[in-house]
Amino acid sequence: MKVVKFGGSSLADAAQIEKVQNIIQEDEQRRVVIVSAPGKRNSEDDKVTDLLIALGSSIQAGETDRDIYKKIISRFRVMTEELGLPLSVAEKVKDTIDEAVEMVKDDSSHALDALKACGEDGSARIVSAYLQECGLQASYVNPKEAGIVVRDQPGGALVLEESFDQLYSLRSRNEILVIPGFFGFTPEGELVTFSRGGSDITGSIVAAGLKANLYENFTDVDSVFCVNPMDVDQPKELTSLTYREMRELSYAGFSVFHDEALIPAFKEKIPVCIKNTNNPSAPGTMIVSDLPERESHVVGIASDKGFLNLYVSKYFMNREIGFGRRLLQILEDEGVSFEHAPSGIDDMSVVIREHHLPPEKEEVVVNRIKTELQVDTVMIEREMALIMIVGEGMNQTIGIASRAAAAFREAEVNIEMINQGSSEVSMMFGVKSSGLGKAVKSLYRTFFE
């Protein structure tokens, strides 16, 4: 059995859904299908999830944006018409959206999550109906019916272990099952969404629960590249990666896969294949648990902007028991999550995504650090970028760090910070955002050309 997930670009319009149907039909093992909300049809278009979020915001502001509402309904109506589906399919999608809109108007609990989930739910209803129209036995399966039970954390749900046993029972069904991604239900029956891009998470959860032979994730690229094609022209393709390598790359900016999605598949050691809906015959990239044979231990370079560095210095910090805990406790008190926390004898840096520490909250955090920790220096550097060199076995290869440092020197980009994770799968560098492009190109030349 294969679990197959299709991303937003694969479901953007009727023509793409026809491709999806062909992919499902050509392999009888593709019995469980996870779908995202419709994505962009072109560079000027909107993702349906973005439209739903904007609609929810307008309702909360007291002025429902009818233009956005009509645009959402039109996207689904046009798809059903072009696919030749009964009018009842589009009406059911509209009814679900209208119910969620009323929930937001009533300020009901979890209303925004219910509205955001309408994109995936609409895709699932349309895809299942189209498969039936093409003569296949197919059914729409709501995540509650499937047994996807999650913790009550709106916008950031985590799956509960009981889900996996309930999902396994779906193996007894003989038809093709189409399940909307991105959301599950709490034990109390409330709809809760995963973090953005969470259809990947649903796919991995379902694959793990069903103990599938393979989890195929269809997107709009032939494979994973060793570096973002936006940064380097025609970068090398990767035929295989380990789970840990893919997770590190996803976290650090590889948008092809959600960084949380691999965990359920990893636990069950289910291989994952990333493939292209527009070129399904391409082999894609396999993600596996065992280290594949390869010549180089560096497999990828990932980068992302939008970070800041909170730098704290105090003489004899190393002798002050609990200093790091108290520093991080201040961040926790103020609702600020952090990414990395490299430290020295008398100083400590905390890397934070900029949107987690807006200027008004920054002032509160800095004042608390000064008064409660009695530090010598506290400073915040914004407009930081992170670059990660990723690869299993880098610790077994002499000279990785020196070659990377030489690449930064060649690019004339100063390294603000270095951190190598204890997993030894990645090496992280902090630089100013302005030097990111030059640094990535230089690192690519050093490790891949």
Side-chain angles (χ1 to χ4, degrees):
M1 173 187 285
K2 295 178 182 179
V3 170
V4 192
K5 181 261 175 178
F6 292 95
S9 61
S10 304
L11 301 156
D13 56 25
Q16 289 298 94
I17 291 176
E18 289 173 358
K19 295 177 185 178
V20 167
Q21 182 270 329
N22 290 330
I23 289 168
I24 295 168
Q25 191 168 21
E26 72 181 10
D27 188 343
E28 62 182 15
Q29 291 190 59
R30 291 171 176 149
R31 287 174 44 203
V32 181
V33 181
I34 313 299
V35 295
S36 298
K40 292 184 177 184
R41 293 162 293 188
N42 54 64
S43 60
E44 305 301 318
D45 200 13
D46 296 301
K47 295 179 179 180
V48 166
T49 301
D50 289 337
L51 292 173
L52 289 165
I53 292 171
L55 176 62
S57 297
S58 73
I59 296 170
Q60 288 184 320
E63 297 181 3
T64 303
D65 193 319
R66 297 297 300 177
D67 289 338
I68 293 178
Y69 172 81
K70 290 176 183 177
K71 189 180 290 188
I72 295 167
I73 300 301
S74 175
R75 282 289 295 273
F76 289 112
R77 180 181 53 77
V78 169
M79 278 193 284
T80 55
E81 289 177 354
E82 292 180 350
L83 291 170
L85 300 179
L87 179 62
S88 59
V89 177
E91 287 299 315
K92 181 58 183 175
V93 174
K94 180 179 180 297
D95 289 345
T96 303
I97 295 171
D98 289 344
E99 289 172 12
V101 166
E102 289 304 314
M103 288 175 63
V104 179
K105 288 180 179 178
D106 295 338
D107 199 23
S108 301
S109 172
H110 303 82
L112 284 179
D113 274 28
L115 184 59
K116 287 190 293 183
C118 289
E120 283 75 11
D121 195 74
S123 287
R125 293 184 185 279
I126 290 173
V127 169
S128 59
Y130 185 60
L131 293 177
Q132 294 168 11
E133 193 76 15
C134 294
L136 299 174
Q137 286 188 311
S139 297
Y140 160 86
V141 180
N142 186 274
K144 180 184 284 188
E145 178 189 351
I148 301 176
V149 187
V150 299
R151 191 177 299 168
D152 194 353
Q153 294 178 208
L158 296 173
V159 68
L160 299 180
E161 284 299 316
E162 62 199 76
S163 301
F164 298 103
D165 289 336
Q166 295 184 51
L167 282 163
Y168 190 77
S169 65
L170 294 178
R171 290 183 68 100
S172 63
R173 296 179 62 167
N174 295 321
E175 73 269 39
I176 297 167
L177 308 180
V178 184
I179 305 173
F182 188 41
F183 67 98
F185 287 82
T186 68
E188 295 74 31
E190 296 284 359
L191 187 157
V192 184
T193 61
F194 297 111
S195 55
R196 188 71 189 268
S199 293
D200 286 343
I201 300 175
T202 303
S204 185
I205 290 168
V206 173
L210 291 169
K211 299 189 185 304
N213 303 104
L214 179 66
Y215 169 33
E216 294 180 310
N217 192 295
F218 279 84
T219 179
D220 55 4
V221 293
D222 281 351
S223 64
V224 177
F225 297 99
C226 65
V227 70
N228 191 331
M230 299 292 289
D231 296 328
V232 175
D233 291 333
Q234 297 182 319
K236 292 184 178 180
E237 296 181 1
L238 297 175
T239 58
S240 60
L241 290 165
T242 67
Y243 293 117
R244 293 202 303 171
E245 289 170 340
M246 189 68 239
R247 177 159 160 74
E248 294 278 356
L249 290 169
S250 297
Y251 161 77
F254 272 41
S255 59
V256 72
F257 215 97
H258 194 293
D259 65 297
E260 297 177 17
L262 286 172
I263 296 171
F266 167 74
K267 289 181 177 178
E268 292 294 329
K269 291 186 165 36
I270 295 168
V272 179
C273 187
I274 296 175
K275 295 177 72 70
N276 189 352
T277 302
N278 302 311
N279 186 20
S281 61
T285 299
M286 288 295 298
I287 306 171
V288 295
S289 57
D290 298 324
L291 178 66
E293 291 293 329
R294 55 166 77 105
E295 294 181 6
S296 172
H297 288 299
V298 175
V299 298
I301 302 167
S303 59
D304 201 8
K305 294 181 179 180
F307 295 91
L308 62 82
N309 179 32
L310 170 62
Y311 173 80
V312 177
S313 176
K314 185 178 184 180
Y315 282 118
F316 301 114
M317 181 190 293
N318 62 316
R319 295 188 185 181
E320 192 171 326
I321 297 172
F323 182 91
R325 175 186 56 78
R326 286 185 288 133
L327 173 59
L328 297 180
Q329 184 65 55
I330 291 172
L331 296 178
E332 181 181 343
D333 292 345
E334 301 301 331
V336 179
S337 62
F338 75 98
E339 307 294 320
H340 304 274
S343 62
I345 298 173
D346 296 321
D347 54 20
M348 184 173 179
S349 291
V350 183
V351 179
I352 302 167
R353 291 193 182 271
E354 285 195 290
H355 66 268
H356 287 159
L357 190 64
E360 61 273 14
K361 190 174 287 187
E362 173 186 324
E363 184 177 355
V364 175
V365 169
V366 169
N367 287 336
R368 285 193 61 184
I369 291 172
K370 287 178 178 178
T371 56
E372 296 175 29
L373 302 182
Q374 298 294 303
V375 298
D376 300 318
T377 305
V378 56
M379 180 173 61
I380 289 181
E381 295 179 277
R382 291 187 176 269
E383 297 186 5
M384 295 284 293
L386 296 185
I387 302 173
M388 294 183 77
I389 299 174
V390 176
E392 296 266 14
M394 287 200 308
N395 61 319
Q396 301 168 7
T397 305
I398 297 172
I400 296 289
S402 63
R403 292 175 66 193
F408 281 103
R409 183 176 65 247
E410 180 183 313
E412 298 183 339
V413 174
N414 188 48
I415 300 172
E416 305 286 335
M417 178 175 52
I418 301 176
N419 187 33
Q420 182 164 10
S422 57
S423 66
E424 297 178 325
V425 177
S426 65
M427 188 177 297
M428 184 197 76
F429 301 89
V431 300
K432 290 291 187 183
S433 297
S434 57
L436 180 61
K438 293 188 296 181
V440 170
K441 288 182 174 64
S442 184
L443 288 165
Y444 180 80
R445 289 193 296 269
T446 296
F447 288 106
F448 293 101
E449 288 186 351

